[in-house]
Amino acid sequence: KQEVTQIPAALSVPEGENLVLNCSFTDSAIYNLQWFRQDPGKGLTSLLLIQSSQREQTSGRLNASLDKSSGRSTLYIAASQPGDSATYLCAVRPSGGATNKLIFGTGTLLAVQP
Amino acid sequence: DVKVTQSSRYLVKRTGEKVFLECVQDMDHENMFWYRQDPGLGLRLIYFSYDVKMKEKGDIPEGYSVSREKKERFSLILESASTNQTSMYLCASSPGQGGKNIQYFGAGTRLSVL
């Protein structure tokens, strides 16, 4: 059974720092991996999606990498800002299925201090 | 922009009541999903639908049912609400099997069962 783990559960950094969030999954048979952002009391916003054949994706100050064989992904945030404060979730889509079912990690709560 | 709308942000219901949570998407997506989100457990899939009148059980379907009479609308039904169904409920939609299959989320409904 696929399990997704995110470490650390919470992280506090000063503004301007570069940081890395980690995601690991137990079964490398995935179709893709997504990173989401969730603000308090709100829904999820998709940040980046990496297909299983890709190594990384970039969007602005965000860079996500994928090492499928080792079951790991990282989300790198450059020059962090207070507006980056949120919960970050990763989710994998298992391969072989007929639907777009996602399996989520429990998230990393990020606080960027001004 | 994709829009996924959940009819209520907050709901308070009594034990034993029948509860309807409504979700509408405006992008003609084939797939729709209902999740619940609880602290420490992350997002867990309740039910999903890949076509009108089609539904599949997710990981935690017990105590819930769904209805998809029209492509744009996916309803979650709690036949007899219980206190352990107090949670944040999130609806999502995604396009068919091709493409990136990014899931787009609504803002969520926070349900309290007293």
Side-chain angles (χ1 to χ4, degrees):
Chain A
K1 180 185 173 185
Q2 176 75 269
E3 292 183 0
V4 181
T5 305
Q6 291 184 248
I7 295 172
L11 181 63
S12 181
V13 300
E15 182 177 3
E17 196 162 292
N18 302 324
L19 60 100
V20 174
L21 306 180
N22 296 295
C23 173
S24 61
F25 46 96
T26 55
D27 188 343
S28 62
I30 64 169
Y31 189 75
N32 59 42
L33 182 146
Q34 272 187 262
W35 282 93
F36 293 87
R37 170 189 171 131
Q38 185 177 29
D39 292 293
K42 301 272 180 77
L44 278 66
T45 301
S46 180
L47 297 173
L48 289 164
L49 182 147
I50 311 177
Q51 300 287 12
S52 62
S53 57
Q54 297 176 315
R55 298 285 289 187
E56 63 180 279
Q57 281 286 326
T58 298
S59 175
R61 295 182 294 109
L62 305 179
N63 176 277
S65 68
L66 175 64
D67 184 344
K68 199 173 75 161
S69 60
S70 67
R72 293 181 183 177
S73 176
T74 61
L75 179 66
Y76 174 83
I77 302 177
S80 59
Q81 302 170 358
D84 294 330
S85 298
T87 297
Y88 291 81
L89 297 119
C90 70
V92 299
R93 179 185 167 192
S95 60
T99 66
N100 300 331
K101 178 178 176 178
L102 295 179
I103 300 173
F104 284 83
T106 53
T108 294
L109 176 61
L110 173 65
V112 181
Q113 309 298 331
Chain B
D1 281 352
V2 176
K3 193 164 184 181
V4 180
T5 303
Q6 294 184 230
S7 54
S8 304
R9 291 298 310 276
Y10 302 95
L11 274 179
V12 180
K13 297 291 182 181
R14 298 214 172 269
T15 302
E17 278 192 75
K18 190 169 186 176
V19 182
F20 293 86
L21 302 183
E22 305 287 347
C23 176
V24 177
Q25 50 94 3
D26 66 355
M27 282 302 292
D28 202 37
H29 284 170
E30 282 80 6
N31 306 298
M32 296 189 75
F33 307 83
W34 275 107
Y35 297 89
R36 63 177 284 176
Q37 185 177 28
D38 301 287
L41 296 176
L43 274 81
R44 293 177 292 167
L45 182 64
I46 304 171
Y47 266 97
F48 60 96
S49 168
Y50 51 89
D51 202 352
V52 176
K53 296 189 185 295
M54 304 300 289
K55 60 186 179 184
E56 293 280 346
K57 293 180 180 179
D59 299 318
I60 50 165
E62 296 79 18
Y64 303 94
S65 62
V66 290
S67 173
R68 193 164 181 204
E69 296 296 319
K70 294 184 178 181
K71 191 174 186 180
E72 68 270 18
R73 185 180 296 270
F74 192 35
S75 303
L76 180 69
I77 304 159
L78 287 65
E79 295 289 342
S80 177
S82 62
T83 54
N84 63 13
Q85 292 178 309
T86 291
S87 186
M88 173 71 126
Y89 289 88
L90 292 163
C91 173
S93 72
S94 72
Q97 290 302 306
K100 289 189 173 182
N101 308 122
I102 292 174
Q103 288 195 15
Y104 299 88
F105 282 78
T109 296
R110 186 164 294 281
L111 173 66
S112 296
V113 183
L114 306 178

